[in-house]
Amino acid sequence: MQITLSGTAFKSYEVNIKNRTKEELSKENLSFDNTLTKTNESDNITYQTTNENENTTNIVFTDPTNGNHVQVALDNSIIDRLKRNFSEDDFFQRENGDIRLNAKAEAFVSGWFADIAYKREFLSSDVNNDGKLTEEEYLNTYNAFGIKGTITYNSDDISINEKVDNLGYGNYASIDETIYRTGIHVKSLDDELNYTLNADKDFDGEISLEEAYTSESTIENKVKANIGDFFSLPANQEKGELASFFNDAINFVLDILEKNKKDKNKNIEIDKKQWEQIQQRHNILITESLKQVFESEYKKEKT
């Protein structure tokens, strides 16, 4: 059995790379120090973290949308990952312990910050501007996306395809079900930025469906949960003369995904004898002309 994933869940804001010299970064210290305040009320500040702890380091950069100052708390493990991918000149250590990003590292981080802050509306959803998101505030963000899925039955195999329903950016309050950070209440912009930076495995400024799935669980577990969730709804229960076969087939698929046994090509193994017995039990002969009859779409769409 093969699983095919496609589509982009989120896309980073495009940022022009600005390579500053160490002298420029040193002179800039005073500007940042005079501007950053704990009240986060200055017109020159887009965001100042209130989420720092012993496992994080404050990172500062320029908001690519307006030139304002930004300070976020990044996990030290994320910073180490960034340092492995970008030049050491992209990280300027300031006297107060903050790290000022530069050049490509700044473009990468600030691009994802802008996407989360504005397109996913984390800043506007933080109504009281305290740097934290209540559960109610988080439901107003656009940090979700829907999927369309298709199961195709062949005589000796089964294939599953899932794709992002257009580009992501669904609102939690208007989506019945979502598959991004399932069941998680994201409590701050910092939290989502850390998660997104880690999810973008290839540093290409896009979160593919595969990256979204593997950041939370395994592909097999996510697909199994999606199928199970959809077909557990009464409105999606199959009816009619093929219903018995179809429901047996769905349970068969879920069982395969649960066992998650793979062959040497890393394809999920299917018990072909059992699959043949299911078809025979229901007097089903799957031919090309009947494939569309057994093709089922399970969708999670934004409204």
Side-chain angles (χ1 to χ4, degrees):
M1 181 168 67
Q2 291 187 333
I3 297 175
T4 304
L5 304 178
S6 59
T8 301
F10 302 109
K11 189 173 183 179
S12 172
Y13 182 89
E14 292 188 14
V15 179
N16 293 324
I17 298 172
K18 187 171 183 179
N19 198 344
R20 301 171 181 82
T21 65
K22 288 186 177 180
E23 288 73 20
E24 289 176 313
L25 294 172
S26 296
K27 291 178 180 179
E28 189 185 63
N29 277 352
L30 184 60
S31 172
F32 270 95
D33 290 340
N34 287 340
T35 303
L36 291 174
T37 67
K38 292 301 180 182
T39 62
N40 199 18
E41 294 176 351
S42 170
D43 290 339
N44 296 321
I45 299 175
T46 291
Y47 180 81
Q48 183 178 13
T49 185
T50 58
N51 297 279
E52 61 264 41
N53 59 61
E54 62 181 9
N55 297 316
T56 66
T57 298
N58 288 342
I59 302 296
V60 294
F61 53 85
T62 301
D63 185 331
T65 70
N66 54 30
N68 287 344
H69 301 293
V70 176
Q71 181 195 63
V72 297
L74 293 189
D75 293 345
N76 293 328
S77 61
I78 298 296
I79 296 172
D80 289 341
R81 181 170 178 268
L82 293 173
K83 287 182 175 180
R84 290 194 297 270
N85 187 75
F86 297 106
S87 168
E88 62 179 19
D89 294 333
D90 290 1
F91 302 86
F92 180 76
Q93 188 73 51
R94 302 176 66 232
E95 292 181 1
N96 67 353
D98 290 359
I99 294 177
R100 200 324 182 181
L101 295 182
N102 186 34
K104 291 182 179 180
E106 179 182 30
F108 179 71
V109 174
S110 67
W112 276 123
F113 168 84
D115 172 69
I116 296 166
Y118 302 114
K119 195 163 185 180
R120 300 194 223 175
E121 299 190 9
F122 270 64
L123 281 183
S124 60
S125 296
D126 182 10
V127 178
N128 62 358
N129 198 34
D130 66 350
K132 295 179 173 61
L133 292 173
T134 64
E135 187 170 358
E136 182 178 0
E137 287 175 331
Y138 180 58
L139 289 176
N140 291 320
T141 69
Y142 283 77
N143 202 40
F145 59 90
I147 61 165
K148 290 183 177 180
T150 303
I151 302 176
T152 302
Y153 300 112
N154 299 301
S155 58
D156 61 350
D157 203 358
I158 299 171
S159 60
I160 300 172
N161 175 268
E162 291 194 351
K163 62 181 179 179
V164 178
D165 184 21
N166 299 315
L167 193 61
Y169 304 102
N171 179 260
Y172 273 92
S174 61
I175 293 184
D176 292 332
E177 296 179 79
T178 180
I179 46 77
Y180 184 65
R181 303 195 72 172
T182 307
I184 298 296
H185 163 207
V186 179
K187 298 180 180 179
S188 69
L189 189 156
D190 303 74
D191 180 1
E192 182 54 45
L193 180 59
N194 276 282
Y195 190 86
T196 297
L197 293 175
N198 189 59
D200 189 359
K201 303 298 183 186
D202 53 8
F203 295 89
D204 69 344
E206 295 186 2
I207 303 298
S208 67
L209 185 58
E210 181 175 348
E211 287 174 327
Y213 279 12
T214 54
S215 293
E216 181 178 335
S217 181
T218 65
I219 291 173
E220 293 77 21
N221 283 341
K222 289 295 292 180
V223 170
K224 178 167 64 72
N226 293 340
I227 295 173
D229 288 345
F230 183 81
F231 287 107
S232 66
L233 300 175
N236 300 321
Q237 296 296 319
E238 286 298 309
K239 300 176 178 64
E241 60 182 281
L242 295 177
S244 182
F245 162 77
F246 190 82
N247 291 327
D248 276 358
I250 289 296
N251 289 326
F252 179 63
V253 169
L254 293 174
D255 185 58
I256 293 171
L257 291 170
E258 179 69 30
K259 293 176 179 176
N260 194 20
K261 294 175 61 178
K262 297 184 179 181
D263 60 23
K264 61 181 180 181
N265 297 318
K266 296 186 178 180
N267 291 323
I268 301 175
E269 291 184 351
I270 179 172
D271 187 332
K272 295 186 177 181
K273 184 176 181 181
Q274 186 180 355
W275 178 226
E276 183 180 345
Q277 289 174 345
I278 291 174
Q279 296 173 65
Q280 291 176 347
R281 184 163 65 247
H282 295 282
N283 296 315
I284 294 294
L285 178 62
I286 300 178
T287 63
E288 289 296 323
S289 61
L290 285 177
K291 281 184 182 179
Q292 289 189 350
V293 177
F294 302 135
E295 192 172 87
S296 169
E297 288 194 350
Y298 49 100
K299 303 177 182 177
K300 296 177 181 178
E301 302 180 272
K302 59 180 182 298
T303 57

